[in-house]
Amino acid sequence: METKKNQWIGWVYLAPAIILMLVFMAFPLIITTIVAFRNDYRIGFGLLQLVYPADGFDGIQSYFAGLNYGFGAFRTVFKNEYFWSYYMVNTLIIVFVSVPLTITLSLLIAVALNSIKKLQKFFQTIFFMPYVTNSIALGMVFAVMFGSNPNGLINSLLISMGNNAIDWLGAATDGNSSALMIRFTGMAVLIIYIVWQALPFKILILLSGLQGIDKQYYQAAQIDGTSKFRTLMRITVPLLSPQIIYLMITSFIGSFKEYNSVVALFNKDGYPVTGANIPYFGTIVLYIYNNVVMMPHVASAAALILFVIILLFTGLNSWISNKFVHY
Amino acid sequence: MDIRLENLTKIFSEKDSEVRAVDNLDITIPSGKLVGLLGPSGCGKSTTLYMIAGLLNPTSGKIHFGDQDVTELAPEKRGIGLVFQNYALYPHLTVRQNILFPLQNMKVPKAEALERAQKVADLVDIGNLMNRKPKQLSGGQQQRVAIARALVKSPDVLLLDEPLSNLDARLRLQTREEIKRIQRETGITTVFVTHDQEEAMSISDEIVVMKFGVEQQKGAPQEVYNNPVNKFVAKFLGTPPINFFNGEVKNGGLYIGEERILDSKLPNQEVCVGIRPEGFEVAENGSLTVKVEQIEYIGRDKSIVATNPNSENPTFRFIIDADIKGVEVGKYLKGNIKPNKCFAFDKTTESRLQ
């Protein structure tokens, strides 16, 4: 009797969360999946058109004909001339460059922060600043820093050292830089921006992980004459592996969904300058977002593709990490 | 290799206060001996050990290993093995990898390292657990792994920080014999820290009793027990603990109340009399009268809890032969005091007078 009663109370406590989840997660997920398999769908169609033909119900024959389901939206995505070469490639570059870079850097910074006594809180605050700053504002600061004209901060540094100015973000109108060059420098700046923005949270997590490690391990290592590098690789990293794995999985997922940084640094189409027509810096989410209004079924299909990629990748990730977290 | 500490001092200073954790410690730890640093918590014994290890820098004073002054030497260059209180075994490494760890730092060739690891593991009797993770081991086994890891690099000095405090009572007994055996087999100069006097007395060749960072007495355990230099040492060594009475020296005798228990050559004064529990011999016309409150049989002995108006504590304990008849709760009991189990201490300085 009592367990039954307790269960009932448990469901009541869970209800708000479950209802919100159903409304805002499960329902859109299902609708998105359905819409993705429509060959044609417009915003104005509304929910009913998912089960009814657009022009009303008149006989079973035309019902199925009018439903118009298939893989058309997926075909549209895959046939897009920029989907693979820009949107997908850019996303993969961001994922596989920025995540390892961020985790390595944040680990080194966290270890360094943990080892200093004076000014630790001060530096902790400094490193945490990007986390509490608006990312669009940060993007604008970066855009100014890497400005194409000779007055940009980085360019004026380069010039003062006797180098030529570089069109970092491809925003110059003179058209002197090649497309490849623009893509390379632009992606480099984008990744610097992403890494820099992603550091604070990871430093915070790793630092708290470090502070939880028993100092005696380090004393034992010291007495055995372990070098700094070996201590880091053989003691710190393994003992931090739960935190590192957590950060890996969450930031891989986050990077697959990278969008903000592109909009902040370039513009909402992923073009270096407004009016250009090649999405140099587009990511998958950018592609999804740009198609939402005109072709919701195509956006849904792309979203589903991204979902499957992330799902597979996260599965792989946790399968591998199970082999590395030892305790 | 012997260890000499010269005027070793460690002061921990905070903003507006400072603590003398170790104060002018001046001791020599003879080569190849097992020496116990003994004292209540906060007496500076662990600090001393960590200074010998090099993990703490002394505020002043010198540490010599043999002829070498190691005061300024980094821990890894001192040739020591240290066993931590919580063992500090690397949880992600197997027993074998844990033991190999110091050897890999020393760039010992792999085959030789494996052989040495196996040898030292066999010595501490964990040779069959090499592939386990520390988590899969019992406390006693973890302890042995920690000792193996400390010994594998053939250190000149082995340091143990409260080596038995994490073990249960039965394992503690077994492990302390084990430590003694390992120490004897390797002949390595060993220093260990403990607050447990029984532990220290049972395995040490020598003990150093400390209080507030100051050495109180050093010597063979039985010698220190038999001849404590002051009230603190007398109180700290022995279970059940020594009993203290308010006494007086007058007329060439040592008095508790109006009862003359022993002769004394001391000048007339008030003293604190300490009597070991085993120092009371029941006798019909004995010199000290106590009232029996409780009797406990502990095997071949009988432990009586008794009262006396001059006792410092409300009750005290004597251990007498279980065969003695006529000991009853609520009755008075008379007994003589064995002179070698009875000490007199100065009332104020607490140092030993007799």
Side-chain angles (χ1 to χ4, degrees), chain A residues 1-15:
Chain A
M1 270 307 268
E2 189 150 290
T3 45
K4 220 169 193 180
K5 190 175 152 200
N6 283 345
Q7 260 180 19
W8 183 79
I9 291 173
W11 284 111
V12 170
Y13 283 137
L14 282 173

Side-chain angles (χ1 to χ4, degrees), chain B residues 197 225 231-245 274-279 313 315-319:
Chain B
Q197 53 91 18
Y225 180 80
K231 193 176 166 184
F232 174 81
V233 176
K235 192 161 63 178
F236 200 73
L237 295 185
T239 36
I242 193 168
N243 310 302
F244 290 110
F245 300 89
I275 304 172
R276 293 268 183 218
E278 67 273 24
N313 293 327
T315 62
F316 50 88
R317 224 172 249 275
F318 283 133
I319 291 174

